[in-house]
Amino acid sequence: MTGLFTFFRRNYTASNPPSVSKSSDPIRFGILGAANIGPDALFIPARTHAEVVIQAVAARDKAKAKQYADKHGIPVVLDSYEALIADPSIDVVYIALPNGLHFKWALAALENGKHVLLEKPSVSNAEEAELLFHSPLLNKPGAPLLLEAVHYNFHPTWRYFMSQISQADVVYASHTVLVPTGIIKPTDIRYNYALAGGAIMDIGSYGISALRAIFGAEPESCIECNMKPTVPPASKFCDAEYTAKLQFPNGAIGEIQGTYNTSWLKFRLPHIEVLHRGVEVQDDSLGPNQVKIRTRKVVFYGHMFATIYNRIDTEDTYEVRNKDDQQPIKKWTEKNYKSVHSFREIDLEQPGEFYWKSYRYQLEEFVNRIKGRSGNGIWVSADQSMAQMKAIDMVYEKSGFGVRPSHERPIS
Ligand SMILES: NC(=O)C1=CN([C@@H]2O[C@H](COP(=O)(O)OP(=O)(O)OC[C@H]3O[C@@H](n4cnc5c(N)ncnc54)[C@H](OP(=O)(O)O)[C@@H]3O)[C@@H](O)[C@H]2O)C=CC1
Ligand SMILES: O=C1OC[C@@H](O)[C@H](O)[C@H]1O
């Protein structure tokens, strides 16, 4: 009962957090497009941040922008995306446009001296990522800040999960996301190849970045990949379902699986499974000819939307063996599980409340960097964003569906 109450209280407060009064010189954000993700990823988190104000929106259709502004309490509606990135009252441009437009508008905003909070995946492909993240605009004195919003990294539960993993010992990891049928409509930007859609770009990007973090390395190759488009296909190159197997250094294997078409009966929370090789552990109570081996399995439920629910199960199997013939003497398993919603729960003195979403934790660090404060050190570097797009390209190349097109490149 207490668990259920805590669950509802946390999720209610996450969507209805207390508003704080704003500082006298806040950072002013503008959003390009009346994006569906805007409220969750930015506007609601901004309510609890004294230094952030959502100042303006621009949409392709001004009436739509006005309606959106009214609904979300955004004071200024600008005429066009161009007008927003040029507006001197805007400090940060939040880009939650279709993936295929990220490159063009991120560059345009940076050219106008704006900081950019850029939705994941950062761009359409590795070629665009190199051009964007190596742009001289980011390397001059006083250069604006660019962050790919890989929000789950910022939530304390991800920090705890990583503390349960020994990267060098991981032999296998998998990431699964099952989205029930009907949530993603055939007209969705995710099914638009020209706009760099595809399930791997979307839910699969979480899997690829999680595997890269778990192994602490880049995939060497994609060994297998199977993709299915929607039925009937919105675009024959846009995946609605995927499985892929990636080879990581030292023979380690990472698998991702995702679909927009699971039946509600088969729905499970997004989850990650990590298996470690057996490692010797010190135990002074052992006999002189004995060795103790630990094999660890970690399962993480709900990492994509950790505030709704998250749980990390750590299962250690121990075996005491005879050193000479490796014969088992004794074997047992120890399990523990933990849910984490604030840094305090993992003994770190960092800001956060039980109801903060990953987006709110991310906003905290984004503002810290703009203000030149060290924060908690969690970040998504330019190198990580570039490596991420390389890995995504690798999977699309193997699939036969092809790398997503660069912006304004003609589509056949
Ligand atoms: N971090 C996260 O948890 C999430 C991230 N995302 C990411 O955010 C981005 C936007 O996703 P989402 O909010 O679901 O997208 P939407 O379908 O809401 O589209 C966002 C905006 O794109 C604009 N747009 C510009 N050109 C086009 C075009 N040719 N066709 C369609 N729309 C266009 C529209 O703006 P206008 O109003 O001007 O017409 C629209 O409001 C994606 O990159 C996605 O991966 C999405 C969901 C969750
Ligand atoms: O970023 C995202 O997270 C969750 C998904 O369901 C959604 O499609 C996506 O854009």
PDB file of all heavy atoms in Angstrom, residues 108-137:
ATOM      1  N   ALA A 108      22.328  26.632 -37.129  1.00  0.00           N
ATOM      2  CA  ALA A 108      21.807  27.996 -37.288  1.00  0.00           C
ATOM      3  C   ALA A 108      21.732  28.705 -35.934  1.00  0.00           C
ATOM      4  O   ALA A 108      22.083  29.891 -35.813  1.00  0.00           O
ATOM      5  CB  ALA A 108      20.435  27.956 -37.946  1.00  0.00           C
ATOM      6  N   ALA A 109      21.303  27.977 -34.905  1.00  0.00           N
ATOM      7  CA  ALA A 109      21.198  28.592 -33.572  1.00  0.00           C
ATOM      8  C   ALA A 109      22.589  28.934 -33.038  1.00  0.00           C
ATOM      9  O   ALA A 109      22.809  30.021 -32.478  1.00  0.00           O
ATOM     10  CB  ALA A 109      20.462  27.653 -32.616  1.00  0.00           C
ATOM     11  N   LEU A 110      23.536  28.019 -33.231  1.00  0.00           N
ATOM     12  CA  LEU A 110      24.911  28.281 -32.762  1.00  0.00           C
ATOM     13  C   LEU A 110      25.500  29.489 -33.492  1.00  0.00           C
ATOM     14  O   LEU A 110      26.200  30.311 -32.886  1.00  0.00           O
ATOM     15  CB  LEU A 110      25.801  27.051 -32.988  1.00  0.00           C
ATOM     16  CG  LEU A 110      25.474  25.798 -32.150  1.00  0.00           C
ATOM     17  CD1 LEU A 110      26.284  24.599 -32.646  1.00  0.00           C
ATOM     18  CD2 LEU A 110      25.740  26.042 -30.667  1.00  0.00           C
ATOM     19  N   GLU A 111      25.215  29.568 -34.795  1.00  0.00           N
ATOM     20  CA  GLU A 111      25.713  30.723 -35.564  1.00  0.00           C
ATOM     21  C   GLU A 111      25.191  32.036 -34.987  1.00  0.00           C
ATOM     22  O   GLU A 111      25.842  33.066 -35.077  1.00  0.00           O
ATOM     23  CB  GLU A 111      25.279  30.611 -37.036  1.00  0.00           C
ATOM     24  CG  GLU A 111      26.295  29.860 -37.878  1.00  0.00           C
ATOM     25  CD  GLU A 111      25.700  29.275 -39.158  1.00  0.00           C
ATOM     26  OE1 GLU A 111      24.558  29.647 -39.535  1.00  0.00           O
ATOM     27  OE2 GLU A 111      26.383  28.421 -39.760  1.00  0.00           O
ATOM     28  N   ASN A 112      24.001  31.963 -34.406  1.00  0.00           N
ATOM     29  CA  ASN A 112      23.426  33.160 -33.784  1.00  0.00           C
ATOM     30  C   ASN A 112      23.864  33.314 -32.328  1.00  0.00           C
ATOM     31  O   ASN A 112      23.288  34.119 -31.586  1.00  0.00           O
ATOM     32  CB  ASN A 112      21.904  33.119 -33.884  1.00  0.00           C
ATOM     33  CG  ASN A 112      21.429  33.545 -35.263  1.00  0.00           C
ATOM     34  OD1 ASN A 112      21.102  34.710 -35.488  1.00  0.00           O
ATOM     35  ND2 ASN A 112      21.437  32.613 -36.207  1.00  0.00           N
ATOM     36  N   GLY A 113      24.833  32.515 -31.923  1.00  0.00           N
ATOM     37  CA  GLY A 113      25.389  32.652 -30.575  1.00  0.00           C
ATOM     38  C   GLY A 113      24.536  32.053 -29.481  1.00  0.00           C
ATOM     39  O   GLY A 113      24.757  32.320 -28.292  1.00  0.00           O
ATOM     40  N   LYS A 114      23.541  31.229 -29.860  1.00  0.00           N
ATOM     41  CA  LYS A 114      22.657  30.655 -28.822  1.00  0.00           C
ATOM     42  C   LYS A 114      23.212  29.320 -28.323  1.00  0.00           C
ATOM     43  O   LYS A 114      23.762  28.538 -29.105  1.00  0.00           O
ATOM     44  CB  LYS A 114      21.256  30.369 -29.398  1.00  0.00           C
ATOM     45  CG  LYS A 114      20.609  31.526 -30.127  1.00  0.00           C
ATOM     46  CD  LYS A 114      20.382  32.728 -29.243  1.00  0.00           C
ATOM     47  CE  LYS A 114      19.621  33.810 -29.978  1.00  0.00           C
ATOM     48  NZ  LYS A 114      19.708  35.098 -29.302  1.00  0.00           N
ATOM     49  N   HIS A 115      23.011  29.061 -27.048  1.00  0.00           N
ATOM     50  CA  HIS A 115      23.254  27.719 -26.533  1.00  0.00           C
ATOM     51  C   HIS A 115      22.164  26.820 -27.121  1.00  0.00           C
ATOM     52  O   HIS A 115      21.051  27.284 -27.402  1.00  0.00           O
ATOM     53  CB  HIS A 115      23.130  27.685 -25.013  1.00  0.00           C
ATOM     54  CG  HIS A 115      24.049  28.647 -24.318  1.00  0.00           C
ATOM     55  ND1 HIS A 115      25.425  28.525 -24.355  1.00  0.00           N
ATOM     56  CD2 HIS A 115      23.784  29.748 -23.560  1.00  0.00           C
ATOM     57  CE1 HIS A 115      25.965  29.500 -23.644  1.00  0.00           C
ATOM     58  NE2 HIS A 115      24.993  30.267 -23.162  1.00  0.00           N
ATOM     59  N   VAL A 116      22.497  25.530 -27.260  1.00  0.00           N
ATOM     60  CA  VAL A 116      21.519  24.622 -27.866  1.00  0.00           C
ATOM     61  C   VAL A 116      21.324  23.374 -27.005  1.00  0.00           C
ATOM     62  O   VAL A 116      22.290  22.680 -26.678  1.00  0.00           O
ATOM     63  CB  VAL A 116      21.964  24.198 -29.290  1.00  0.00           C
ATOM     64  CG1 VAL A 116      21.043  23.115 -29.848  1.00  0.00           C
ATOM     65  CG2 VAL A 116      21.978  25.406 -30.225  1.00  0.00           C
ATOM     66  N   LEU A 117      20.076  23.125 -26.658  1.00  0.00           N
ATOM     67  CA  LEU A 117      19.698  21.855 -26.047  1.00  0.00           C
ATOM     68  C   LEU A 117      19.033  21.077 -27.172  1.00  0.00           C
ATOM     69  O   LEU A 117      17.966  21.462 -27.670  1.00  0.00           O
ATOM     70  CB  LEU A 117      18.731  22.090 -24.875  1.00  0.00           C
ATOM     71  CG  LEU A 117      18.266  20.844 -24.135  1.00  0.00           C
ATOM     72  CD1 LEU A 117      19.427  20.063 -23.525  1.00  0.00           C
ATOM     73  CD2 LEU A 117      17.269  21.221 -23.030  1.00  0.00           C
ATOM     74  N   LEU A 118      19.694  19.996 -27.583  1.00  0.00           N
ATOM     75  CA  LEU A 118      19.319  19.304 -28.811  1.00  0.00           C
ATOM     76  C   LEU A 118      18.772  17.918 -28.489  1.00  0.00           C
ATOM     77  O   LEU A 118      19.458  17.103 -27.856  1.00  0.00           O
ATOM     78  CB  LEU A 118      20.585  19.177 -29.683  1.00  0.00           C
ATOM     79  CG  LEU A 118      20.492  18.502 -31.039  1.00  0.00           C
ATOM     80  CD1 LEU A 118      19.475  19.207 -31.931  1.00  0.00           C
ATOM     81  CD2 LEU A 118      21.866  18.496 -31.718  1.00  0.00           C
ATOM     82  N   GLU A 119      17.560  17.661 -28.947  1.00  0.00           N
ATOM     83  CA  GLU A 119      16.965  16.348 -28.657  1.00  0.00           C
ATOM     84  C   GLU A 119      17.784  15.211 -29.262  1.00  0.00           C
ATOM     85  O   GLU A 119      18.515  15.400 -30.215  1.00  0.00           O
ATOM     86  CB  GLU A 119      15.509  16.282 -29.149  1.00  0.00           C
ATOM     87  CG  GLU A 119      14.491  16.602 -28.078  1.00  0.00           C
ATOM     88  CD  GLU A 119      14.682  15.815 -26.784  1.00  0.00           C
ATOM     89  OE1 GLU A 119      15.277  14.723 -26.809  1.00  0.00           O
ATOM     90  OE2 GLU A 119      14.261  16.316 -25.728  1.00  0.00           O
ATOM     91  N   LYS A 120      17.630  14.058 -28.651  1.00  0.00           N
ATOM     92  CA  LYS A 120      18.290  12.857 -29.166  1.00  0.00           C
ATOM     93  C   LYS A 120      17.474  12.305 -30.321  1.00  0.00           C
ATOM     94  O   LYS A 120      16.247  12.484 -30.309  1.00  0.00           O
ATOM     95  CB  LYS A 120      18.493  11.801 -28.096  1.00  0.00           C
ATOM     96  CG  LYS A 120      17.355  11.528 -27.123  1.00  0.00           C
ATOM     97  CD  LYS A 120      16.007  11.059 -27.561  1.00  0.00           C
ATOM     98  CE  LYS A 120      15.804   9.935 -28.513  1.00  0.00           C
ATOM     99  NZ  LYS A 120      14.379   9.785 -28.908  1.00  0.00           N
ATOM    100  N   PRO A 121      18.034  11.602 -31.286  1.00  0.00           N
ATOM    101  CA  PRO A 121      19.461  11.512 -31.545  1.00  0.00           C
ATOM    102  C   PRO A 121      19.921  12.851 -32.095  1.00  0.00           C
ATOM    103  O   PRO A 121      19.137  13.577 -32.718  1.00  0.00           O
ATOM    104  CB  PRO A 121      19.550  10.412 -32.603  1.00  0.00           C
ATOM    105  CG  PRO A 121      18.264  10.527 -33.357  1.00  0.00           C
ATOM    106  CD  PRO A 121      17.236  10.954 -32.353  1.00  0.00           C
ATOM    107  N   SER A 122      21.197  13.187 -31.869  1.00  0.00           N
ATOM    108  CA  SER A 122      21.637  14.557 -32.134  1.00  0.00           C
ATOM    109  C   SER A 122      21.353  14.991 -33.568  1.00  0.00           C
ATOM    110  O   SER A 122      20.909  16.115 -33.799  1.00  0.00           O
ATOM    111  CB  SER A 122      23.124  14.703 -31.836  1.00  0.00           C
ATOM    112  OG  SER A 122      23.893  13.826 -32.646  1.00  0.00           O
ATOM    113  N   VAL A 123      21.626  14.113 -34.521  1.00  0.00           N
ATOM    114  CA  VAL A 123      21.456  14.466 -35.944  1.00  0.00           C
ATOM    115  C   VAL A 123      21.043  13.224 -36.720  1.00  0.00           C
ATOM    116  O   VAL A 123      20.612  12.241 -36.136  1.00  0.00           O
ATOM    117  CB  VAL A 123      22.768  15.073 -36.523  1.00  0.00           C
ATOM    118  CG1 VAL A 123      22.975  16.506 -36.052  1.00  0.00           C
ATOM    119  CG2 VAL A 123      23.976  14.216 -36.169  1.00  0.00           C
ATOM    120  N   SER A 124      21.174  13.251 -38.052  1.00  0.00           N
ATOM    121  CA  SER A 124      20.682  12.130 -38.872  1.00  0.00           C
ATOM    122  C   SER A 124      21.691  11.009 -39.026  1.00  0.00           C
ATOM    123  O   SER A 124      21.312   9.857 -39.255  1.00  0.00           O
ATOM    124  CB  SER A 124      20.324  12.624 -40.274  1.00  0.00           C
ATOM    125  OG  SER A 124      19.426  13.691 -40.203  1.00  0.00           O
ATOM    126  N   ASN A 125      22.971  11.342 -38.989  1.00  0.00           N
ATOM    127  CA  ASN A 125      23.999  10.318 -39.258  1.00  0.00           C
ATOM    128  C   ASN A 125      25.370  10.836 -38.773  1.00  0.00           C
ATOM    129  O   ASN A 125      25.498  11.981 -38.329  1.00  0.00           O
ATOM    130  CB  ASN A 125      24.037   9.990 -40.753  1.00  0.00           C
ATOM    131  CG  ASN A 125      24.210  11.237 -41.606  1.00  0.00           C
ATOM    132  OD1 ASN A 125      25.048  12.090 -41.298  1.00  0.00           O
ATOM    133  ND2 ASN A 125      23.432  11.371 -42.667  1.00  0.00           N
ATOM    134  N   ALA A 126      26.378   9.959 -38.907  1.00  0.00           N
ATOM    135  CA  ALA A 126      27.707  10.290 -38.372  1.00  0.00           C
ATOM    136  C   ALA A 126      28.359  11.460 -39.122  1.00  0.00           C
ATOM    137  O   ALA A 126      29.094  12.248 -38.519  1.00  0.00           O
ATOM    138  CB  ALA A 126      28.603   9.065 -38.455  1.00  0.00           C
ATOM    139  N   GLU A 127      28.059  11.557 -40.398  1.00  0.00           N
ATOM    140  CA  GLU A 127      28.652  12.648 -41.184  1.00  0.00           C
ATOM    141  C   GLU A 127      28.174  14.006 -40.630  1.00  0.00           C
ATOM    142  O   GLU A 127      28.971  14.919 -40.391  1.00  0.00           O
ATOM    143  CB  GLU A 127      28.209  12.472 -42.645  1.00  0.00           C
ATOM    144  CG  GLU A 127      28.777  13.462 -43.624  1.00  0.00           C
ATOM    145  CD  GLU A 127      28.051  13.397 -44.974  1.00  0.00           C
ATOM    146  OE1 GLU A 127      26.879  12.970 -45.036  1.00  0.00           O
ATOM    147  OE2 GLU A 127      28.677  13.802 -45.962  1.00  0.00           O
ATOM    148  N   GLU A 128      26.886  14.111 -40.392  1.00  0.00           N
ATOM    149  CA  GLU A 128      26.353  15.349 -39.814  1.00  0.00           C
ATOM    150  C   GLU A 128      26.904  15.585 -38.408  1.00  0.00           C
ATOM    151  O   GLU A 128      27.182  16.732 -38.028  1.00  0.00           O
ATOM    152  CB  GLU A 128      24.820  15.281 -39.732  1.00  0.00           C
ATOM    153  CG  GLU A 128      24.111  15.495 -41.051  1.00  0.00           C
ATOM    154  CD  GLU A 128      22.594  15.645 -40.891  1.00  0.00           C
ATOM    155  OE1 GLU A 128      22.062  15.453 -39.772  1.00  0.00           O
ATOM    156  OE2 GLU A 128      21.934  15.943 -41.893  1.00  0.00           O
ATOM    157  N   ALA A 129      27.058  14.496 -37.650  1.00  0.00           N
ATOM    158  CA  ALA A 129      27.553  14.650 -36.265  1.00  0.00           C
ATOM    159  C   ALA A 129      28.959  15.240 -36.264  1.00  0.00           C
ATOM    160  O   ALA A 129      29.260  16.144 -35.472  1.00  0.00           O
ATOM    161  CB  ALA A 129      27.529  13.305 -35.548  1.00  0.00           C
ATOM    162  N   GLU A 130      29.814  14.737 -37.164  1.00  0.00           N
ATOM    163  CA  GLU A 130      31.194  15.264 -37.248  1.00  0.00           C
ATOM    164  C   GLU A 130      31.146  16.753 -37.563  1.00  0.00           C
ATOM    165  O   GLU A 130      31.861  17.561 -36.953  1.00  0.00           O
ATOM    166  CB  GLU A 130      31.973  14.554 -38.364  1.00  0.00           C
ATOM    167  CG  GLU A 130      32.299  13.104 -38.068  1.00  0.00           C
ATOM    168  CD  GLU A 130      33.518  12.929 -37.171  1.00  0.00           C
ATOM    169  OE1 GLU A 130      34.396  13.808 -37.186  1.00  0.00           O
ATOM    170  OE2 GLU A 130      33.550  11.921 -36.436  1.00  0.00           O
ATOM    171  N   LEU A 131      30.313  17.103 -38.530  1.00  0.00           N
ATOM    172  CA  LEU A 131      30.255  18.513 -38.944  1.00  0.00           C
ATOM    173  C   LEU A 131      29.735  19.406 -37.824  1.00  0.00           C
ATOM    174  O   LEU A 131      30.250  20.497 -37.592  1.00  0.00           O
ATOM    175  CB  LEU A 131      29.351  18.675 -40.180  1.00  0.00           C
ATOM    176  CG  LEU A 131      29.923  18.130 -41.492  1.00  0.00           C
ATOM    177  CD1 LEU A 131      28.846  18.110 -42.576  1.00  0.00           C
ATOM    178  CD2 LEU A 131      31.111  18.998 -41.933  1.00  0.00           C
ATOM    179  N   LEU A 132      28.728  18.916 -37.127  1.00  0.00           N
ATOM    180  CA  LEU A 132      28.143  19.747 -36.068  1.00  0.00           C
ATOM    181  C   LEU A 132      29.066  19.844 -34.854  1.00  0.00           C
ATOM    182  O   LEU A 132      29.386  20.952 -34.391  1.00  0.00           O
ATOM    183  CB  LEU A 132      26.779  19.184 -35.647  1.00  0.00           C
ATOM    184  CG  LEU A 132      26.103  19.906 -34.486  1.00  0.00           C
ATOM    185  CD1 LEU A 132      25.815  21.375 -34.832  1.00  0.00           C
ATOM    186  CD2 LEU A 132      24.800  19.213 -34.080  1.00  0.00           C
ATOM    187  N   PHE A 133      29.498  18.692 -34.347  1.00  0.00           N
ATOM    188  CA  PHE A 133      30.249  18.724 -33.088  1.00  0.00           C
ATOM    189  C   PHE A 133      31.692  19.199 -33.259  1.00  0.00           C
ATOM    190  O   PHE A 133      32.331  19.572 -32.288  1.00  0.00           O
ATOM    191  CB  PHE A 133      30.159  17.371 -32.368  1.00  0.00           C
ATOM    192  CG  PHE A 133      28.780  17.109 -31.821  1.00  0.00           C
ATOM    193  CD1 PHE A 133      27.857  16.351 -32.537  1.00  0.00           C
ATOM    194  CD2 PHE A 133      28.382  17.671 -30.619  1.00  0.00           C
ATOM    195  CE1 PHE A 133      26.578  16.143 -32.049  1.00  0.00           C
ATOM    196  CE2 PHE A 133      27.106  17.467 -30.119  1.00  0.00           C
ATOM    197  CZ  PHE A 133      26.199  16.699 -30.833  1.00  0.00           C
ATOM    198  N   HIS A 134      32.175  19.181 -34.504  1.00  0.00           N
ATOM    199  CA  HIS A 134      33.499  19.755 -34.756  1.00  0.00           C
ATOM    200  C   HIS A 134      33.401  21.172 -35.322  1.00  0.00           C
ATOM    201  O   HIS A 134      34.395  21.720 -35.799  1.00  0.00           O
ATOM    202  CB  HIS A 134      34.296  18.880 -35.742  1.00  0.00           C
ATOM    203  CG  HIS A 134      34.931  17.700 -35.076  1.00  0.00           C
ATOM    204  ND1 HIS A 134      35.189  16.521 -35.728  1.00  0.00           N
ATOM    205  CD2 HIS A 134      35.361  17.509 -33.793  1.00  0.00           C
ATOM    206  CE1 HIS A 134      35.738  15.659 -34.887  1.00  0.00           C
ATOM    207  NE2 HIS A 134      35.849  16.231 -33.706  1.00  0.00           N
ATOM    208  N   SER A 135      32.214  21.734 -35.274  1.00  0.00           N
ATOM    209  CA  SER A 135      32.055  23.084 -35.832  1.00  0.00           C
ATOM    210  C   SER A 135      32.946  24.081 -35.083  1.00  0.00           C
ATOM    211  O   SER A 135      32.994  24.082 -33.849  1.00  0.00           O
ATOM    212  CB  SER A 135      30.595  23.522 -35.696  1.00  0.00           C
ATOM    213  OG  SER A 135      30.522  24.919 -35.890  1.00  0.00           O
ATOM    214  N   PRO A 136      33.654  24.944 -35.835  1.00  0.00           N
ATOM    215  CA  PRO A 136      34.466  25.978 -35.183  1.00  0.00           C
ATOM    216  C   PRO A 136      33.627  26.877 -34.271  1.00  0.00           C
ATOM    217  O   PRO A 136      34.158  27.478 -33.337  1.00  0.00           O
ATOM    218  CB  PRO A 136      35.036  26.786 -36.357  1.00  0.00           C
ATOM    219  CG  PRO A 136      34.758  25.994 -37.596  1.00  0.00           C
ATOM    220  CD  PRO A 136      33.693  24.988 -37.289  1.00  0.00           C
ATOM    221  N   LEU A 137      32.315  26.902 -34.499  1.00  0.00           N
ATOM    222  CA  LEU A 137      31.438  27.734 -33.651  1.00  0.00           C
ATOM    223  C   LEU A 137      31.500  27.299 -32.188  1.00  0.00           C
ATOM    224  O   LEU A 137      31.206  28.086 -31.282  1.00  0.00           O
ATOM    225  CB  LEU A 137      29.981  27.612 -34.116  1.00  0.00           C
ATOM    226  CG  LEU A 137      29.657  28.134 -35.506  1.00  0.00           C
ATOM    227  CD1 LEU A 137      28.306  27.614 -35.964  1.00  0.00           C
ATOM    228  CD2 LEU A 137      29.675  29.679 -35.479  1.00  0.00           C
TER     229      LEU A 137
END
